[in-house]
Amino acid sequence: MMEEEEFEFTEDLEAILHLTPEVQLAIEQVFPSQDPLDRADFNAVEYINTLFPTEQSLANIDDVVNKIRLKIRRLDDDIRTVVRGQTNVGQDGKQALEEAQIAIQQLFGKIKDIKDKAEKSEQMVKEITRDIKQLDHAKRHLTTSITTLNHLHMLAGGVDSLEAMTRKRQYGEVANLLQGVVNVLEHFHKYMGIPQIRQLSERVKAAQSELGTQILADFEEAFPSQGSKRTGGPSNVLRDACLVANVLDPRIKQEIIKKFIRQHLSEYLVLFQENQDVAWLDKIDRRYAWIKRQLVDYEEKYGRMFPEEWCMTERIAVEFCHITKVELAKVMRTRAKEIEVKLLLFAIQRTTNFEGLLAKRFTGCTLTDAPRQQKRPESPLDQTNPFLEDEPGEDGGSEKDEDLTKPRKPKAPDNPFHGIISKCFEPHLYVYIESQDKNLGELIDRFVADFRAQGPPKAGTEEGGAVLPSCADLFVYYKKCMVQCSQLSTGEPMIALTTVFQKFLREYAWKILSGNLPKSSSNSGGLTITSLLKEKEGYEAAKFTVDELCLICSILSTAEYCLATTQQLEEKLKEKVDKVLVERINLTGEMDTFSTVISNSIQLLVQDLDAACDPALSAMSKMPWQSVEHVGDQSPYVTSIIMHIKQNVPIIRDNLASTRKYFTQFCIKFTNSFIPKFINHLFRCKPISMVGAEQLLLDTHSLKTVLLDLPSIGSQVLRKAPASYTKIVVKGMTRAEMILKVVMAPHEPPVVFVDNYIKLLADGNPETFQKILDMKGLKRSEQSSMLELFRQRLPTPPSGADSGPSLSFSAPTPEQESSRIRKLEKLIKKRL
């Protein structure tokens, strides 16, 4: 029985000690401990093994047991203290809860008392403020009534005084009084339902109407429409009348201004009628001189009569401009056939000068439509291009009458009067455009004549390979025309001028550039070994002379300059023209024309050097390569080719020093033309012996070395060739070397020979393989079996690929081929 109770007690104890992970984690956070006895996964066996790791450590077992007993005793004391401390906790908590409830009841009672007192205070404040609000409303109403009565008294007295002063024409006093009456009347708008107030308002309107009529009559009397101006008159009265007009309906002010200006300019309409001699363009200065005198006369006589804010001087000048624009347009339509370009430019120059004078004198506040175009800033670039230079300012022109081709005019963004008169000349600017068309035609003809008279640029001179001077002259003239036309108009005339520019850009490209390119000849004679030796001694086989090569380079450089400058011209034209017309400016066709000239020039240089090498290649294909007995130095045809390259390329490079990219294009095009031609002539060298193939391989390597150095050949400054060019040379000449390696390889056994061909040449074309067999000198029967085996050994093309006679295989890298060539050179040297 006792054993069962102990067992149950042990199970209960174990159940109590097995805590959930959440509880165990909370205990560890509250009471962190490093003691193994506090761990949840405590293992007694491991703990004992830790205390006694060896048998020798059992000697201290009594000390360890005493320490554990002491620790157990302390834990028992702590547990006992805690248990005893928790004995009265429930009773203390109940007592604290009751005390809290009593405190809450007391607090609730105090809050209720405070709320009752607040409601009583609010009621008391409402009763107090009710009386204050009544007093405040009474005060406000009383103030409003007093103010309204004062305004009414002022209005009634003001109306009476206004009517009396109007009858006496006391405009000085009326001006101040009327403004005050109008301001007071505004306070009575909400009382217009009262008959007396409405009557006063009607009396004010009647007084205003009477004042307007009376003032207009006074001005009509002082400045009658019929007859001449009266120099006398009540100017002080009229000055006060203008002050009154400022307060009246704006229509009165406008009518006064309109009548005065019309009367002031009536003499101008008579003096410069359409049928008068002074109305024509050649005497346009008199118009502007007349208005200047009138403005000075106005300032002296009537300057103080009108208020300053009316800007009467500017209004007179603006009205003069509008009348002048209409009258000039009318007279030019009538006498359009008499308009000449010098006369037109003279009139425009004087007109734009006058508009500039107006801009300096007036602000343009009276204009209702002032142009405000924003001009893009220009960045300083290459000063050799006239379209990248700063344009001359307004003060850069000459004041002489004969300098009619330089009309000056203030820039539009700074001049609100820009075009106020000069706009009338725009419909007649076709005269200017036609004149420029004629002048440019004569300029092109002069360029052609000068070129024929002076001849092409000479080699060894500063002109050799340089840009033709006529090109710069043409674009400088273009710039001057563009600036002139943009000052005259930024609309359709600019489009017409652009069309003229396009026309003569094409003519310059055809007549000056393409027309002066040397003519190439396709005749090329054969060469023998004897002729090659003559060439080595100094025989010149090139078709073009040195001067002709310089001319081609000069034309190429000029075409490049024209191409870049035409692009700048297009950008400048787009800046000058109106935004709505920008899309109509397009010089792409002309730029393409100059690109064609550049391409043709490069092609001529390539054809010339290519043709110079043709006789040497023909001699190579005619040499008896089967009878070559030993490998020596490079063959004579290689020497001839190198000699032609060293003769032509330095000349071309020096003359294209300013256009390096086109010299690179020349090198690439020549290489792309020469290497395939060399390979074709290589196929014609048949049959070839083993020694002959080795000699050809040595020659091929020599040509490859020369071609790699082609861009800097004959130059004291060594410059690395462009990577794109080097890649072309290596790829092309490596193919030629591989062809010779295949020829040198034995054709027995056939399978090995075919596989070696496919590996080295990576060419699946049976025709190429046939040419290799011809070079080896195989019989037709052997060739047939070889071709059949070749077709069988060709790798199958991938599915989906286009089937064709030529297949692409992975070719050896240039580094591998270079290593093989070095080995072959060593072998040749040993045999020598």
Side-chain angles (χ1 to χ4, degrees):
M1 193 66 178
M2 291 293 292
E3 291 178 356
E4 291 179 357
E5 291 178 356
E6 289 180 358
F7 180 74
E8 290 177 358
F9 176 77
T10 303
E11 287 183 348
D12 294 340
L13 184 61
E14 290 179 355
I16 292 173
L17 292 178
H18 283 82
L19 304 176
T20 61
E22 293 80 4
V23 175
Q24 187 65 36
L25 180 61
I27 293 174
E28 291 177 356
Q29 293 177 350
V30 176
F31 303 104
S33 174
Q34 300 296 328
D35 193 344
L37 295 173
D38 295 334
R39 295 180 58 182
D41 55 348
F42 175 75
N43 190 320
V45 176
E46 292 180 359
Y47 182 69
I48 293 172
N49 291 333
T50 303
L51 295 176
F52 306 105
T54 60
E55 292 182 1
Q56 289 78 5
S57 60
L58 292 175
N60 300 327
I61 190 171
D62 294 335
D63 296 337
V64 173
V65 170
N66 292 332
K67 289 181 181 179
I68 292 177
R69 286 177 178 174
L70 179 61
K71 190 171 185 178
I72 291 172
R73 190 178 302 113
R74 289 177 179 174
L75 287 174
D76 289 339
D77 293 340
D78 292 340
I79 292 172
R80 187 180 304 109
T81 303
V82 171
V83 171
R84 289 177 179 175
Q86 296 296 324
T87 303
N88 299 325
V89 170
Q91 184 177 357
D92 295 341
K94 184 176 180 182
Q95 183 179 356
L97 180 61
E98 291 176 354
E99 292 176 354
Q101 289 175 347
I102 294 171
I104 291 172
Q105 290 176 358
Q106 293 175 354
L107 180 61
F108 182 75
K110 292 180 180 180
I111 292 174
K112 187 175 180 182
D113 293 341
I114 294 172
K115 184 178 180 182
D116 294 339
K117 291 179 181 179
E119 291 176 353
K120 292 178 181 179
S121 300
E122 183 180 2
Q123 186 65 27
M124 186 183 299
V125 170
K126 286 182 179 180
E127 293 175 356
I128 295 172
T129 55
R130 185 182 302 114
D131 297 335
I132 296 175
K133 285 182 180 179
Q134 289 177 354
L135 293 174
D136 186 57
H137 286 310
K139 178 183 177 182
R140 185 165 60 252
H141 293 160
L142 182 60
T143 303
T144 303
S145 300
I146 295 172
T147 304
T148 303
L149 287 174
N150 288 334
H151 286 166
L152 182 59
H153 175 71
M154 294 168 56
L155 181 61
V159 172
D160 293 338
S161 301
L162 182 62
E163 291 174 344
M165 292 177 183
T166 300
R167 288 190 294 270
K168 296 178 182 180
R169 283 183 166 78
Q170 296 176 350
Y171 296 133
E173 292 79 0
V174 169
N176 297 325
L177 180 60
L178 179 59
Q179 184 63 53
V181 169
V182 171
N183 292 338
V184 172
L185 188 60
E186 291 179 357
H187 295 284
F188 290 93
H189 280 318
K190 55 185 176 181
Y191 304 118
M192 286 300 172
I194 302 174
Q196 291 81 0
I197 301 299
R198 185 167 59 251
Q199 183 180 4
L200 288 174
S201 175
E202 291 172 356
R203 287 175 62 186
V204 172
K205 291 180 180 178
Q208 289 177 324
S209 178
E210 182 180 355
L211 277 171
T213 305
Q214 189 170 295
I215 290 172
L216 290 176
D218 291 342
F219 270 94
E220 182 66 26
E221 181 181 357
F223 307 103
S225 300
Q226 302 296 332
S228 60
K229 299 192 298 290
R230 292 171 54 183
T231 56
S235 60
N236 291 332
V237 174
L238 294 180
R239 181 175 67 247
D240 295 337
C242 291
L243 298 177
V244 176
N246 271 337
V247 186
L248 296 175
D249 188 353
R251 180 182 57 82
I252 304 298
K253 171 185 171 182
Q254 296 299 329
E255 188 69 20
I256 293 173
I257 294 174
K258 181 178 178 182
K259 285 186 177 182
F260 180 81
I261 294 176
R262 184 169 61 241
Q263 191 274 341
H264 210 71
L265 296 177
S266 59
E267 181 183 350
Y268 174 71
L269 293 172
V270 175
L271 292 176
F272 294 92
Q273 285 184 2
E274 183 180 352
N275 56 359
Q276 298 294 326
D277 184 56
V278 294
W280 189 228
L281 300 180
D282 58 345
K283 296 180 177 60
I284 198 170
D285 279 340
R286 298 189 182 182
R287 293 177 181 267
Y288 305 133
W290 182 90
I291 189 60
K292 291 176 185 178
R293 291 193 303 269
Q294 292 300 314
L295 292 177
V296 172
D297 181 68
Y298 165 81
E299 291 287 350
E300 293 177 353
K301 295 181 180 179
Y302 309 105
R304 297 183 179 181
M305 187 176 70
F306 295 97
E308 184 177 354
E309 64 269 16
W310 285 22
C311 302
M312 285 300 294
T313 309
E314 180 176 329
R315 290 181 185 276
I316 294 173
V318 170
E319 183 62 22
F320 166 82
C321 293
H322 292 324
I323 294 174
T324 303
K325 178 180 178 182
V326 173
E327 293 298 320
L328 285 176
K330 188 187 303 182
V331 72
M332 284 191 292
R333 281 197 303 268
T334 305
R335 305 172 63 177
K337 295 182 180 179
E338 302 179 31
I339 300 177
E340 298 178 354
V341 63
K342 288 188 176 181
L343 180 61
L344 181 66
L345 292 177
F346 169 79
I348 294 175
Q349 179 191 32
R350 294 298 185 261
T351 302
T352 51
N353 288 345
F354 177 71
E355 291 174 352
L357 181 64
L358 293 179
K360 294 178 180 179
R361 174 64 177 83
F362 305 117
T363 62
C365 60
T366 62
L367 297 175
T368 57
D369 187 18
R372 286 288 184 269
Q373 298 176 356
Q374 186 66 28
K375 186 177 180 180
R376 289 183 288 180
E378 299 176 8
S379 56
L381 297 174
D382 187 4
Q383 295 301 317
T384 61
N385 190 331
F387 297 101
L388 303 181
E389 298 173 0
D390 294 334
E391 296 179 4
E394 178 191 3
D395 300 331
S398 173
E399 290 293 331
K400 297 181 179 180
D401 294 343
E402 59 270 20
D403 191 9
L404 303 178
T405 59
K406 297 181 180 179
R408 296 181 294 109
K409 143 181 169 175
K411 296 181 181 179
D414 301 327
N415 183 6
F417 297 93
H418 167 63
I420 192 170
I421 300 176
S422 58
K423 199 73 174 177
C424 68
F425 296 108
E426 186 169 323
H428 303 278
L429 284 178
Y430 67 89
V431 177
Y432 173 78
I433 302 300
E434 292 174 354
S435 172
Q436 297 307 324
D437 186 294
K438 179 181 177 181
N439 293 342
L440 283 169
E442 294 174 353
L443 188 64
I444 294 295
D445 293 339
R446 180 166 63 83
F447 289 161
V448 174
D450 292 346
F451 190 90
R452 292 175 180 174
Q454 298 174 3
K458 301 298 181 180
T461 62
E462 294 182 359
E463 292 81 6
V467 176
L468 297 177
S470 60
C471 175
D473 295 341
L474 176 67
F475 282 104
V476 167
Y477 189 83
Y478 270 13
K479 178 185 177 182
K480 183 179 72 172
C481 295
M482 180 185 66
V483 173
Q484 287 179 357
C485 191
S486 65
Q487 291 178 343
L488 305 178
S489 172
T490 57
E492 288 294 336
M494 284 291 290
I495 302 299
L497 184 66
T498 301
T499 304
V500 174
F501 285 174
Q502 291 174 305
K503 171 185 174 182
F504 289 101
L505 282 174
R506 292 192 295 269
E507 285 201 14
Y508 186 86
W510 296 333
K511 293 183 179 181
I512 307 298
L513 301 182
S514 295
N516 288 307
L517 283 174
K519 306 300 180 183
S520 61
S521 174
S522 59
N523 297 329
S524 58
L527 268 183
T528 61
I529 298 298
T530 305
S531 63
L532 289 174
L533 294 175
K534 288 182 179 180
E535 286 184 11
K536 191 172 182 181
E537 295 173 358
Y539 178 77
E540 180 62 52
K543 296 190 300 298
F544 291 149
T545 64
V546 176
D547 289 342
E548 287 175 333
L549 291 177
C550 291
L551 174 60
I552 296 174
C553 294
S554 180
I555 291 176
L556 192 154
S557 300
T558 304
E560 184 202 21
Y561 175 86
C562 292
L563 176 63
T565 313
T566 301
Q567 184 177 2
Q568 295 295 334
L569 172 63
E570 182 183 57
E571 294 175 359
K572 287 293 181 183
L573 287 170
K574 289 182 177 180
E575 290 180 10
K576 301 290 185 182
V577 79
D578 293 338
K579 292 184 179 180
V580 295
L581 302 176
V582 168
E583 297 299 327
R584 295 173 60 182
I585 304 291
N586 187 356
L587 303 183
T588 305
E590 289 64 40
M591 288 187 275
D592 292 342
T593 301
F594 290 117
S595 297
T596 303
V597 173
I598 293 173
S599 178
N600 292 341
S601 301
I602 295 176
Q603 192 61 35
L604 277 179
L605 296 174
V606 171
Q607 289 177 358
D608 178 64
L609 184 56
D610 208 15
C613 297
D614 281 346
L617 293 177
S618 299
M620 177 192 77
S621 60
K622 294 177 182 179
M623 289 179 65
W625 294 104
Q626 191 175 15
S627 59
V628 176
E629 298 179 355
H630 62 275
V631 178
D633 294 335
Q634 63 187 22
S635 301
Y637 75 89
V638 176
T639 304
S640 176
I641 292 174
I642 295 175
M643 180 185 68
H644 287 302
I645 290 176
K646 289 184 176 180
Q647 286 177 350
N648 282 27
V649 173
I651 297 173
I652 296 172
R653 182 183 59 245
D654 293 343
N655 285 280
L656 294 181
S658 60
T659 56
R660 187 73 186 178
K661 64 178 180 179
Y662 292 116
F663 174 69
T664 303
Q665 287 188 20
F666 159 75
C667 294
I668 291 175
K669 286 189 175 183
F670 171 72
T671 304
N672 284 330
S673 173
F674 175 78
I675 293 179
K677 187 179 292 185
F678 173 74
I679 292 176
N680 288 334
H681 282 80
L682 203 62
F683 283 133
R684 297 178 188 176
C685 298
K686 54 185 179 182
I688 303 176
S689 64
M690 176 67 70
V691 179
E694 291 178 354
Q695 178 64 50
L696 276 173
L697 188 60
L698 180 62
D699 295 342
T700 301
H701 185 65
S702 299
L703 287 175
K704 179 180 178 181
T705 303
V706 172
L707 290 177
L708 287 174
D709 295 336
L710 184 67
S712 59
I713 193 168
S715 175
Q716 296 180 354
V717 180
L718 297 180
R719 182 180 296 178
K720 186 178 180 180
S724 57
Y725 171 78
T726 303
K727 183 178 180 181
I728 293 173
V729 173
V730 171
K731 181 178 180 181
M733 296 306 291
T734 299
R735 175 175 172 79
E737 292 169 346
M738 293 302 103
I739 291 173
L740 293 172
K741 284 187 178 183
V742 172
V743 173
M744 292 169 58
H747 61 277
E748 296 290 344
V751 174
V752 175
F753 175 76
V754 171
D755 291 343
N756 190 37
Y757 169 83
I758 294 174
K759 179 181 178 182
L760 292 178
L761 283 184
D763 190 346
N765 192 342
E767 295 180 0
T768 305
F769 186 68
Q770 177 76 51
K771 293 177 182 179
I772 297 292
L773 298 180
D774 291 339
M775 293 174 69
K776 292 183 67 66
L778 297 181
K779 298 179 180 179
R780 289 296 175 184
S781 58
E782 294 177 327
Q783 291 184 12
S784 299
S785 60
M786 283 283 191
L787 285 171
E788 185 63 28
L789 180 62
F790 171 74
R791 294 188 179 93
Q792 294 175 0
R793 302 292 294 180
L794 280 178
T796 305
S799 60
D802 296 336
S803 60
S806 181
L807 302 175
S808 297
F809 309 110
S810 58
T813 63
E815 291 77 8
Q816 294 173 346
E817 296 303 331
S818 177
S819 176
R820 294 177 181 177
I821 291 171
R822 285 196 294 270
K823 292 179 181 179
L824 180 60
E825 289 177 348
K826 291 180 181 179
L827 177 63
I828 293 173
K829 290 179 181 178
K830 288 180 180 179
R831 292 190 178 185
L832 292 175

